[in-house]
Amino acid sequence: FYLKMKKLNLNLIKLKKKNINYRKYLIKKTKLRISTITRLSYDLQSGNYIKNYKILKRNKKNYKIFLKNIKNLNEKIKLKNIKTILDFGTGEGIKLPYLLRFNKSVKKIYACDISFNRLYYAKVFLKRRLNKGEMSKLSLFCNKDFELPFKSSSIDVIFTSGVLENLSNKNMNKLLLELFRVTRKRLILIEPIKDKLSRLKQHQLNFN
């Protein structure tokens, strides 16, 4: 993989220092698969989600909206005898402390992402905010595209947030089939609303 980066004359360390849209740049400058571009762009912007979260917490109005969204998500999650949850595309794990707080009877929360870098930031972030008992309920792992290491109908609730917008329609279908295979009770898909379509177009994301 890194030999391929060298051949394309892509120095990821130098690229990281540039104040650019990594996804847009990689689409324009390379012929890499969209899944690879997505992972690379997330690797390059690792840490930004936590920075933005800290800024968000200082803004009472925006933080109130964030908490309302978290509350709405947890209302959709709450079903009888929920023991396992999967946060597919967890990013830097911002939502996980709130999931634990609102779902104390849950035995295990799995969280995955295609970016190992983001998961590293997530682990550091979570260790500072959770006690050992809470951390023991979490299991973070790096997933390979659309493959999940779970048996069919083995996770009670799966949710995604802003994941489908990164995929082509074909790959979206592949992912949905895998999520439906694994989930047992409920699948929750959270995506941008129509008035945010300009952002999707700007970053060459899937707005269909």
Side-chain angles (χ1 to χ4, degrees), residues 29-102:
K29 298 288 184 180
T30 74
K31 292 182 180 179
L32 295 170
R33 290 189 310 155
I34 289 294
S35 58
T36 303
I37 286 173
T38 299
R39 180 169 67 79
L40 275 174
S41 60
Y42 279 141
D43 280 345
L44 289 163
Q45 62 181 326
S46 295
N48 285 354
Y49 285 78
I50 290 170
K51 284 180 185 176
N52 291 336
Y53 171 72
K54 289 176 180 177
I55 294 168
L56 174 77
K57 283 197 79 174
R58 291 196 291 269
N59 185 312
K60 288 183 180 179
K61 184 182 176 181
N62 290 343
Y63 187 57
K64 193 175 179 180
I65 294 169
F66 172 79
L67 290 177
K68 185 181 177 182
N69 290 336
I70 290 288
K71 187 180 177 183
N72 288 339
L73 171 61
N74 280 291
E75 284 175 0
K76 298 291 184 294
I77 288 174
K78 281 189 176 179
L79 295 169
K80 286 184 179 179
N81 302 317
I82 293 296
K83 301 299 179 187
T84 52
I85 297 173
L86 169 63
D87 176 2
F88 185 93
T90 190
E92 292 165 24
I94 303 298
K95 297 183 183 74
L96 296 178
Y98 300 92
L99 285 178
L100 284 165
R101 187 184 304 166
F102 286 108

Side-chain angles (χ1 to χ4, degrees), residues 142-173:
C142 201
N143 62 292
K144 182 185 175 185
D145 293 335
F146 320 115
E147 297 174 24
L148 288 171
F150 300 110
K151 293 179 181 179
S152 296
S153 303
S154 59
I155 304 294
D156 290 325
V157 176
I158 299 177
F159 79 90
T160 72
S161 181
V163 169
L164 300 183
E165 66 183 27
N166 293 293
L167 307 175
S168 65
N169 288 347
K170 183 181 177 181
N171 287 337
M172 196 185 298
N173 288 338

